[in-house]
Amino acid sequence: MQTSNQISSGIELLKDKAWARWTALVLLASAMFFGYIFMDVLSPLQAYLQESKDWTPMAYGRFAGSETFLNVFVFFLIFAGIILDKMGVRFTAILSGAVMLIGGAINYYALTDSFIGSSMAEFMDGFVNLPDTWWNITPFYKGMPASAKLSAIGFMLFGCGVEMAGITVSRAIVKWFQGKEMALAMGIEMAIARVGVAVVFLGSPAIAAIGGTISVSRPVGFAVLLMCIGLISFIVYAMMDHKLETQMGTSAEEKDDPFKISDLKYIFSSKVFWIVALLCVLYYSAIFPFQKYANNMLQCNLGISAEQAGQVFFVFPLGAAAITPFLGNFMDRKGKGATMLIFGALLMIVCHLTFAFLLPVTKSAVLAYAAIILLGISFSLVPASLWPSVPKLVDNRLLGSAYAVIFWIQNIGLYAFPMIIGGVLAASNPGVTDPLQYNYTMPMVLFACLGGLALIFGIMLKALDAKKHYGLELPNIKSEATETAEIIASEE
């Protein structure tokens, strides 16, 4: 079948060759894979951090939330979206890879033995010693360990890079796959990234324990090396993208209808866009902060080691990775995106309530596996259903900014909820100092409430799509007759 590019120009573009667009996807997904490894490399080591670095649940929660601080409060993600729309995919991809690497290196140094007793450690002891109270929105507070403070600074920079990379990769996939296997491509990209999370929960405790001595810096250093490879992947992708744009003559086309900052009003004034954005923040706030605490939750509820908990939680990202491409392929060919989001919210509620009430009573590893697998299915519905819906709601030249706004709103939740969960965990466990004796009932109930709100917004989205006909329930792959008709209409 000829694509619109072939029909209009008579030239087969690089993205019309299956091997080329899937190679581009592998390069993009590889960079995100390494970024996701670093993002959760410390998640299975929460108990070790408390024992070896004196990171309390509050300190760990502040560190976990710091990843999104600059994105939320300095509006870095909004600027990143503007940079993406103004400078293009190639420049933004390489910039994001470099920022991730710098932030990761700082985080690594903070956890090494060479940081202990250094002048930097002394400086961090006196850095931003604000009261631990409601108005302190920073990741720092008085009494926070120096290593946690510097780690948080590095994690902030990494967060700027990885979130910029996220919107860039989404925009790039639309560029290479629009009108083709777009949902499948987005699903595979996220599936590969989630394999990175699975690798972390198995590999991070094992690498930390190499040689019989626990070192929390060792897996972090390994993840930093992997991000170097990720930066190289972005550079190779940029070469392919340059060739594609040379064929498309994109620069000339953009001069006819350039991006203007004032055009952001079209994004902010869209009701359906805000529903999608709120759905995103609710989904991700119930998943990513959960990942930060899941290992310790399983240790406490099942009475197992960090390594054993990692083996149980391993099925969550792995299961999500396995099913996401199938859901994406279904979306491309059958549609039903809004319906899938509703189903995903229901699964999320059931799973978190299981962790809250059933698992502490039954102490059943089988139940834990079942709930985690279902949660992985729920999470798979987000990239398969939500992200491919955005191009149906926003003009192509505003797509980078649209993804940036969604990621910015998402980052508000990702910033707040690790700290909220850390505070709730501490408040619901007064006097508990053993990191293996925490009661996680209230944190899990809070996550279930997020699922309930996501369910409400999912129903609203489906109703609005039925009324306004945005096409959220329609397949992404267009038939040859439909595509040809659209081309003829546009030429007329």
Side-chain angles (χ1 to χ4, degrees):
M1 185 184 84
Q2 284 186 307
T3 68
S4 58
N5 294 309
Q6 290 171 294
I7 294 172
S8 58
S9 66
I11 299 174
E12 185 180 28
L13 300 179
L14 190 61
K15 68 177 183 178
D16 293 322
K17 300 176 181 178
W19 70 265
R21 63 177 178 269
W22 288 107
T23 298
L25 179 69
V26 168
L27 292 170
L28 294 168
S30 296
M32 294 306 297
F33 170 78
F34 299 131
Y36 269 58
I37 284 179
F38 186 88
M39 184 183 295
D40 278 302
V41 70
L42 288 176
S43 296
L45 306 178
Q46 182 185 350
Y48 292 152
L49 287 166
Q50 183 165 339
E51 294 167 357
S52 64
K53 301 291 183 181
D54 295 324
W55 287 25
T56 64
M58 183 62 71
Y60 178 76
R62 293 270 180 165
F63 160 77
S66 67
E67 186 236 329
T68 59
F69 179 78
L70 294 178
N71 289 325
V72 172
F73 294 103
V74 187
F75 301 99
F76 180 82
L77 255 176
I78 303 297
F79 294 123
I82 295 172
I83 291 171
L84 176 57
D85 282 329
K86 296 287 281 187
M87 303 299 295
V89 169
R90 295 191 301 276
F91 174 86
T92 315
I94 295 174
L95 176 63
S96 65
V99 173
M100 278 195 288
L101 188 58
I102 293 170
I106 294 172
N107 196 344
Y108 167 69
Y109 170 65
L111 295 172
T112 60
D113 292 339
S114 58
F115 175 75
I116 301 173
S118 66
S119 57
M120 177 59 73
E122 294 178 6
F123 173 78
M124 296 308 299
D125 276 328
F127 181 72
V128 196
N129 284 322
L130 296 175
D132 180 15
T133 186
W134 65 269
W135 56 260
N136 179 13
I137 62 172
T138 74
F140 313 107
Y141 63 90
K142 186 175 182 179
M144 187 176 182
S147 60
K149 288 182 179 179
L150 187 58
S151 291
I153 292 174
F155 209 32
M156 281 184 205
L157 291 176
F158 166 81
C160 290
V162 75
E163 298 298 337
M164 183 192 294
I167 63 173
T168 303
V169 168
S170 296
R171 180 68 181 88
I173 291 174
V174 173
K175 182 177 184 177
W176 285 76
F177 285 88
Q178 193 164 32
K180 302 181 178 69
E181 315 92 335
M182 186 166 65
L184 176 60
M186 287 189 173
I188 290 176
E189 184 270 319
M190 284 305 301
I192 293 173
R194 285 176 188 148
V195 171
V197 178
V199 168
V200 160
F201 275 84
L202 279 184
S204 190
I207 295 174
I210 289 176
T213 302
I214 299 297
S215 170
V216 292
S217 67
R218 194 180 296 127
V220 177
F222 181 73
V224 170
L225 292 177
L226 292 178
M227 283 197 293
C228 292
I229 302 174
L231 178 57
I232 294 172
S233 296
F234 272 146
I235 293 172
V236 176
Y237 166 79
M239 297 176 183
M240 292 186 65
D241 188 80
H242 176 71
K243 183 175 181 179
L244 174 62
E245 288 204 352
T246 300
Q247 293 176 330
M248 295 173 64
T250 305
S251 298
E253 292 175 6
E254 288 181 347
K255 289 178 182 177
D256 295 332
D257 193 15
F259 167 82
K260 300 184 292 292
I261 294 178
S262 61
D263 289 337
L264 292 175
K265 64 184 178 184
Y266 298 115
I267 296 175
F268 290 110
S269 62
S270 172
K271 180 180 178 180
V272 68
F273 174 83
W274 281 106
I275 292 177
V276 169
L278 290 173
L279 262 170
C280 179
V281 70
L282 290 169
Y283 261 102
Y284 278 84
S285 294
I287 296 294
F288 283 125
F290 170 73
Q291 288 181 183
K292 302 295 184 186
Y293 291 94
N295 214 71
N296 187 243
M297 182 271 293
L298 291 171
Q299 286 181 267
C300 294
N301 282 340
L302 299 179
I304 55 180
S305 67
E307 291 83 357
Q308 291 171 320
Q311 291 170 7
V312 174
F313 192 71
F314 173 76
V315 301
F316 168 70
L318 200 64
I323 196 171
T324 298
F326 294 102
L327 292 173
N329 187 56
F330 179 86
M331 279 284 300
D332 283 327
R333 301 182 185 280
K334 301 296 182 181
K336 305 299 181 183
T339 301
M340 284 189 167
L341 289 172
I342 294 173
F343 180 61
L346 287 169
L347 286 178
M348 184 185 298
I349 295 168
V350 171
C351 293
H352 284 310
L353 290 179
T354 298
F355 294 133
F357 298 110
L358 294 181
L359 195 61
V361 175
T362 63
K363 305 290 184 181
S364 170
V366 174
L367 180 61
Y369 274 114
I372 287 172
I373 290 171
L374 289 178
L375 189 64
I377 295 173
S378 170
F379 192 33
S380 299
L381 296 169
V382 178
S385 306
L386 199 60
W387 299 124
S389 299
V390 178
K392 298 178 181 180
L393 308 175
V394 178
D395 188 89
N396 216 43
R397 62 195 173 91
L398 301 176
L399 203 51
S401 295
Y403 278 124
V405 172
I406 292 177
F407 272 58
W408 176 67
I409 296 170
Q410 168 191 314
N411 271 238
I412 295 175
L414 296 185
Y415 172 75
F417 270 92
M419 292 189 292
I420 291 172
I421 295 301
V424 169
L425 184 62
S428 58
N429 290 271
V432 178
T433 57
D434 185 349
L436 301 181
Q437 297 298 321
Y438 291 127
N439 184 320
Y440 270 89
T441 299
M442 291 310 298
M444 294 301 107
V445 169
L446 187 56
F447 285 134
C449 290
L450 294 176
L453 290 173
L455 175 62
I456 294 171
F457 281 107
I459 294 171
M460 290 173 59
L461 180 65
K462 184 172 181 178
L464 193 59
D465 180 62
K467 181 179 179 180
K468 299 290 187 179
H469 306 291
Y470 293 108
L472 301 181
E473 294 281 274
L474 299 178
N476 295 313
I477 296 178
K478 301 176 182 179
S479 66
E480 183 174 0
T482 301
E483 189 171 354
T484 304
E486 289 179 354
I487 295 166
I488 294 173
S490 65
E491 290 176 348
E492 292 175 351

